[in-house]
């Protein structure tokens, strides 16, 4: 099998076709369809919206409206690890802004970009993580980190950064 | 299940003194002081836990009780930290949302750091020594408790004196008060 990603792409689109076949002409099932699509692709691609529109006989604008209304759907590919940073008042007054800065610096995110180039991380500032007593707080996937200082951010993210680990291992071997 | 970790991911396991010293930077804010207090409580609790795991008749129940007491103190420190946070939020809203800077500058921290490191490592060394003595049966668990309490309170006092900022001193004073109130 080649490693160019073509086969993977085909598999995903085959899965999409199966999903659409299952829900064909069922106009009231937009959300389950979109959930399945997001499971397949990791996000909801624009082409998939067009396909859903055609198969379910629902206008694209309506599907787009649903995708953008619910926080669970994403229109862009997301990184392997999701970093949620609390930007609520409690975290803000305890230096949450500096935590956010430390993360964007580590990931090299610029100009509003939220996913790192290597697709390892996606940064999501959120309104509250419900741990104000531990402010400032961030979550990486399901792990929550409280009472953070900006200095601690690189070491925490490095634990989830497989590319970096691999590079470090290569250095060790060299 | 969601895991709630401190930034240092310290849990109830024993942590090498050096590792703790390295991972606990010199505090720059009141929140950092309380964080330091919480981390030390985990560290001390772990030592009592270690003694409990030796399964010696004379020390087991006392060391378990003392380990639980450390968590009780930790809970009080958390409450003090939340109280401080509420004051900060109130100030934030009353002043129309100003940027709240850390009360201790990076330059000051650089000056204080050598003294802070020395005080911390001395305390952690003492912690290692007393744990070893109790393990070897050269010290009772009661003596261990008295020594740790005395050294910790003395360290908090000394650390508080390093900072010219009133609120930092007060935070260290709070740590002493909490510990003494549960003595």
């Amino acid at each position: 099998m080649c490693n160019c990603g073509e086969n993977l792409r085909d598999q995903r689109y085959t899965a999409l076709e199966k999903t659409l076949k299952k829900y064909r002409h069922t106009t009231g099932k937009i959300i389950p369809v979109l959930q399945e699509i997001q499971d397949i692709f990791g996000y909801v691609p624009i082409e998939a919206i067009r396909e859903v529109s055609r198969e379910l006989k629902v206008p694209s604008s309506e599907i787009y409206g649903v995708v953008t209304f619910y926080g669970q759907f994403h229109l862009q590919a997301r990184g392997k690890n999701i970093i949620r940073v609390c930007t609520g008042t409690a975290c803000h007054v305890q230096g949450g802004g500096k935590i956010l800065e430390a993360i964007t610096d580590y990931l090299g995110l610029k100009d509003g970009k939220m996913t790192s180039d290597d697709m390892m991380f996606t940064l999501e500032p959120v309104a509250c993580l419900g741990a104000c007593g531990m402010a400032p707080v961030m979550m990486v996937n399901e792990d929550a980190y409280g009472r953070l200082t900006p200095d601690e951010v690189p070491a925490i993210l490095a634990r989830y950064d497989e590319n970096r680990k691999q590079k470090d291992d290569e250095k060790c071997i060299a | 299940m969601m895991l709630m970790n401190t930034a240092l991911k310290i849990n109830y396991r024993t942590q090498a003194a050096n590792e703790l010293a390295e991972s606990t930077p010199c505090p720059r804010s009141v929140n950092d002081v309380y964080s330091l207090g919480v981390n030390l409580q985990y560290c001390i609790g772990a030592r009592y836990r270690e003694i409990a795991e030796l399964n010696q008749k004379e020390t087991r129940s006392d060391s378990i009780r003392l380990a639980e007491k450390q968590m009780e103190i930790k809970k009080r420190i958390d409450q003090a930290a939340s109280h401080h946070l509420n004051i900060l939020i109130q100030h934030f809203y009353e002043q129309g949302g100003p940027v709240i800077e850390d009360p201790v500058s990076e330059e000051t921290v650089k000056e204080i750091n050598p003294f802070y490191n020395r005080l911390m490592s001395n305390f952690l060394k003492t912690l290692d020594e007393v744990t070893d003595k109790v393990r070897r049966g050269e010290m009772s668990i009661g003596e261990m408790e008295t020594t740790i309490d005395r050294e910790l309170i003395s360290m908090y006092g000394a650390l508080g004196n390093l900072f010219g900022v009133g609120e930092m001193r007060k935070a260290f004073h709070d740590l002493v008060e909490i510990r003494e109130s549960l003595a």
Side-chain angles (χ1 to χ4, degrees), chain B residues 121-133:
Chain B
S121 65
N122 282 347
F123 171 73
L124 294 168
K125 218 188 318 175
T126 307
L127 200 58
D128 280 342
E129 281 169 7
V130 291
T131 312
D132 286 343
K133 277 187 182 171

Side-chain angles (χ1 to χ4, degrees), chain A residues 89 94 132 144 146-147 152 159, chain B residues 3 5 7 35 78 85 93:
Chain A
T89 313
Q94 298 280 59
C132 304
R147 295 205 177 90
E152 290 160 340
R159 290 179 206 160
Chain B
L3 295 169
N5 308 306
S35 269
D78 277 338
L85 179 59
Y93 281 121

Side-chain angles (χ1 to χ4, degrees), chain B residues 1-15:
Chain B
M1 193 181 84
M2 190 180 96
L3 295 169
M4 175 49 80
N5 308 306
T6 69
L8 307 165
K9 245 189 164 174
I10 286 173
N11 56 24
Y12 215 63
R13 274 178 275 128
T14 305
Q15 195 176 32

